[in-house]
């Protein structure tokens, strides 16, 4: 057997550089790195040696560079992934939040944090967490609950089994998610005689599980027995590459579709059977169809509480759930009729089995009425003196967008209102991180989207609160020459949570700056963005915003546009109940009133 002598770190990166997907692309599209003593002499040296084959990118914060890697994979439907490496200690722990984000959203990313010395010679090493009762514990054990696969590399030859397991997990449609290889820093530098065959080119094919015959028979019977079915399109439609399959299915069988946050853009907004966003941040049209449905067909959705109105939405007494999902865990939720299979394969087989079976489509007037309301709240304001609403900002961005535009966001006010109001025309033109709803994902996520699809026009919608959480990858975008456009809505605090606080009877407290600090805070976001090299504008109206967006579209530079908005208004129409617990006892009459309404709503849960 021919061997090659390499350090463990050199073996790691050589292996990664030779993994391919079925489209002829290297599966690992690059490595994000911030070096410290835990990885600079091992992984850092190895990455330098292979830099012409495996690109290294330097971020400003370990969490945000991981967000960029995750957004990259999401935007191209999990076809490729990135690796992220850090030192031991705080650098590693910074990535745990991003690992949780990837875990919730079922997105592949490879985390390679440095770890303690396996030989324990310098024990305790700098930044080592010492557990008084467990000598095997390190800070990297925090990755275990948020990793689909975890391994600690304590000998060079362990890579021979750990790396194939890592790639198997990341490329598996059911188990897909973050992988953590905690890499002891002394082991990174140790040499071993690896088999040359270990570094041969390997192609990872997308596995498309076929449905079980018994489950399939039950699923077909359930659909044929239904009178008012509805399809809930989730993110799995995108990851399966099943958007055209879904369209063909609904056209043939005339079943209405409603979309989750992750599933939005699976079907064009103006398709006759797309009744819009569903659930807590949904449209009246989608929620009306869902309330009446006697069969809820989930396709690639995990039925999150925002989708189901905390399980109060589906009110038909005869309602059943059919869950088509590649992950058995999801297909068995809430006593669903399970159909564990790839979404594309499952829809194709269901359509063939159903033959010419068709349903009567719901009243198209429901959809027309909803979009008339949506258009009214997103129209440019007639009163030029009032602070614009977030809905009006969305309208301006919508009017400035083109077919190649990707709008993205993550947390706060914007995700809900974008879900309700944004008109997504093409698949993957709407990029929302709402599984974990992680504040701070936006700027780094926009960078990741642009890296994935350089020809797309990327518009990042971000509130001032999220921007303050994590904005440093704006400098990375400028430095890499990758153009993104940020629209920062400044409502001077956490306006979304402030409204929720008020809605549950609470006093305005610790959310808006006006209710949080002794001294007032005023932040010049335009100046801040300019200090990192972006072209920046502070606009005073929706009309000025539209002009700035037009200029940004023609520019090649990363642009930041800041606009002050009113923190209180939300759409009066649409939406659904969400289970947010209200105190049973309070001296505030407003809380007691909210508690009574909450108890009444709980009785509606199905």
């Amino acid at each position: 057997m021919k061997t090659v002598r390499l350090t463990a770190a050199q073996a790691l990166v050589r292996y990664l550089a030779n993994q391919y997907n079925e489209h002829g692309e290297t599966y690992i599209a690059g490595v994000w790195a911030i070096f410290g003593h835990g990885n600079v002499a091992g992984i850092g040296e190895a990455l330098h040696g292979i830099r012409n084959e495996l690109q290294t990118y330097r971020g400003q914060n370990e969490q945000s560079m991981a967000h960029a890697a995750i957004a990259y994979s999401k935007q191209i439907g999990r076809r490729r992934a990135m690796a992220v490496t850090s030192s031991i200690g705080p650098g590693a722990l910074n990535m745990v939040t991003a690992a949780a984000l990837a875990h919730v959203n079922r997105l592949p990313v490879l985390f390679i944090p440095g770890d303690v010395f396996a030989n324990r010679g310098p024990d305790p090493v700098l930044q080592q967490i010492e557990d008084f009762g467990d000598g095997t514990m390190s800070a990297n054990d925090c990755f275990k609950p948020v990793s689909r696969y975890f391994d600690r590399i304590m000998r060079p030859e362990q890579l021979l089994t750990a790396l194939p397991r890592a790639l198997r997990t990341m490329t598996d449609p059911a188990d897909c998610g973050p992988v953590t290889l905690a890499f002891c820093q002394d082991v990174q530098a140790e040499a071993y005689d690896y088999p040359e065959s270990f570094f041969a080119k390997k192609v990872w094919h997308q596995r498309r599980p076929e449905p079980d015959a018994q489950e399939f028979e039950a699923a077909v019977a359930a659909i044929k027995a239904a009178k008012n079915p509805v399809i809930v399109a989730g993110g799995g439609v995108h990851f399966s590459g099943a958007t055209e399959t879904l369209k063909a299915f609904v056209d043939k069988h005339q079943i209405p579709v409603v979309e989750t946050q992750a599933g939005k853009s699976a079907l064009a907004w103006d398709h006759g059977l797309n009744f819009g966003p569903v659930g807590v941040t949904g449209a009246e049209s989608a929620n009306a169809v869902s309330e009446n449905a006697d069969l809820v067909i989930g396709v690639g959705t995990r039925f999150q509480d925002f989708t189901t109105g905390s399980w109060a939405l589906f009110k038909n007494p005869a309602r059943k759930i059919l869950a088509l999902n590649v992950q058995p865990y999801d297909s068995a939720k809430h006593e669903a009729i399970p159909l564990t299979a790839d979404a594309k394969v499952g829809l194709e087989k269901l359509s063939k089995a159903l033959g010419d079976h068709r349903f009567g489509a719901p009243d198209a007037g429901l959809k027309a009425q909803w979009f008339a309301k949506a258009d009214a709240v997103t129209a440019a304001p007639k009163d030029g003196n009032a602070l614009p609403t977030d809905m009006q900002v969305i309208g301006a961005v919508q009017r400035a967008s083109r077919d190649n535009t990707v709008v993205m966001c993550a947390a706060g006010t914007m995700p809900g209102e974008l879900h309700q109001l944004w008109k997504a025309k093409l698949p993957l033109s709407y990029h929302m991180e709402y599984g974990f709803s992680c504040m701070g994902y936006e700027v780094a996520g926009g960078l990741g989207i642009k890296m994935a699809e350089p020809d797309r026009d990327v518009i990042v919608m971000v509130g001032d609160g999220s921007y303050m959480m994590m904005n440093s990858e704006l400098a990375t975008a400028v430095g890499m020459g990758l153009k993104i456009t940020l629209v920062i809505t400044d409502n001077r605090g956490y306006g979304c949570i402030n409204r929720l606080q008020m809605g549950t009877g609470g006093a305005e407290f610790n959310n808006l700056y006006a209710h949080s600090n002794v001294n007032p805070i005023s932040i010049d976001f335009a100046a801040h963005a300019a200090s990192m090299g972006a072209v920046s504008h502070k606009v005073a109206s929706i009309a000025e915003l539209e002009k700035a967006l037009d200029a940004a579209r023609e520019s090649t530079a990363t642009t930041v546009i800041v606009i002050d908005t009113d923190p209180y208004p939300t759409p009066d129409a649409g939406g659904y109940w969400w289970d947010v617990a209200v105190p049973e006892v309070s001296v505030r009459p407003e809380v007691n009133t909210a508690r009574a309404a909450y108890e009444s709503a709980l009785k509606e849960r199905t």
Side-chain angles (χ1 to χ4, degrees), residues 58-111:
R58 211 216 79 171
Q60 314 301 326
N61 177 285
E62 291 87 357
Q63 181 186 148
S64 58
M65 67 185 189
H67 286 167
I70 295 163
Y72 176 95
S73 185
K74 178 181 174 71
Q75 186 59 30
I76 54 175
R78 304 196 302 202
R79 195 176 74 236
R80 304 177 77 190
M82 289 182 162
V84 190
T85 183
S86 77
S87 181
I88 181 179
L93 289 177
N94 279 347
M95 300 193 297
V96 173
T97 297
L101 184 152
H103 191 282
V104 168
N105 288 283
R106 321 289 170 86
L107 292 167
V109 60
L110 176 59
F111 292 101

Side-chain angles (χ1 to χ4, degrees), residues 34 153 198 207 216 297 346 352 388 395 430 459 464 512 528 548 583:
I34 292 179
I153 309 303
F198 184 62
R207 188 167 62 86
F216 184 73
I297 307 171
K352 185 176 180 180
Y430 178 89
I459 299 181
D464 57 307
L512 299 183
H528 183 266

Side-chain angles (χ1 to χ4, degrees), residues 310-316 319 334 602-606:
S310 296
W311 289 100
L313 174 58
F314 307 117
K315 293 186 180 299
N316 191 323
R319 181 265 291 163
H334 286 266
L602 281 175
K603 297 175 183 178
E604 299 295 317
R605 176 178 283 162
T606 55

Side-chain angles (χ1 to χ4, degrees), residues 12 16 28 82-84 108-112 163 166 170 179-181:
L12 168 80
L16 295 180
I28 298 297
M82 289 182 162
V84 190
V109 60
L110 176 59
F111 292 101
I112 315 169
L163 284 171
M170 293 169 68
V179 167
T180 300
L181 299 181

Side-chain angles (χ1 to χ4, degrees), residues 474 524-531 533-539 558-562:
L474 184 61
D524 189 338
F525 291 104
H528 183 266
S531 73
V535 174
S536 65
H537 308 277
K538 176 68 180 285
V539 298
T558 287
T559 302
V560 175
I561 307 168
V562 184

Side-chain angles (χ1 to χ4, degrees), residues 5 28 50 64 68 129 153 174 179 195 361 389 403 406 418 436 470 503 506-507 540 585 594 598 601:
R5 190 162 183 80
I28 298 297
I50 203 169
S64 58
I129 300 295
I153 309 303
V179 167
T389 67
D403 285 347
V406 178
L418 283 166
F436 208 47
M470 193 163 292
V585 179
Y598 174 70

Side-chain angles (χ1 to χ4, degrees), residues 485-505:
T485 301
L486 268 67
V487 177
I488 301 176
T489 53
D490 184 2
N491 60 21
R492 296 151 303 284
Y494 303 139
C496 175
I497 297 300
N498 188 65
R499 290 193 300 274
L500 181 62
Q501 189 173 52
M502 296 169 65
T504 53

Side-chain angles (χ1 to χ4, degrees), residues 222-246:
I223 296 174
K224 286 184 175 180
K227 295 179 180 178
N228 301 302
V230 64
I231 293 172
V232 180
V237 176
H238 291 296
F239 297 148
S240 176
T243 55
E244 287 300 314
T245 308
L246 175 67

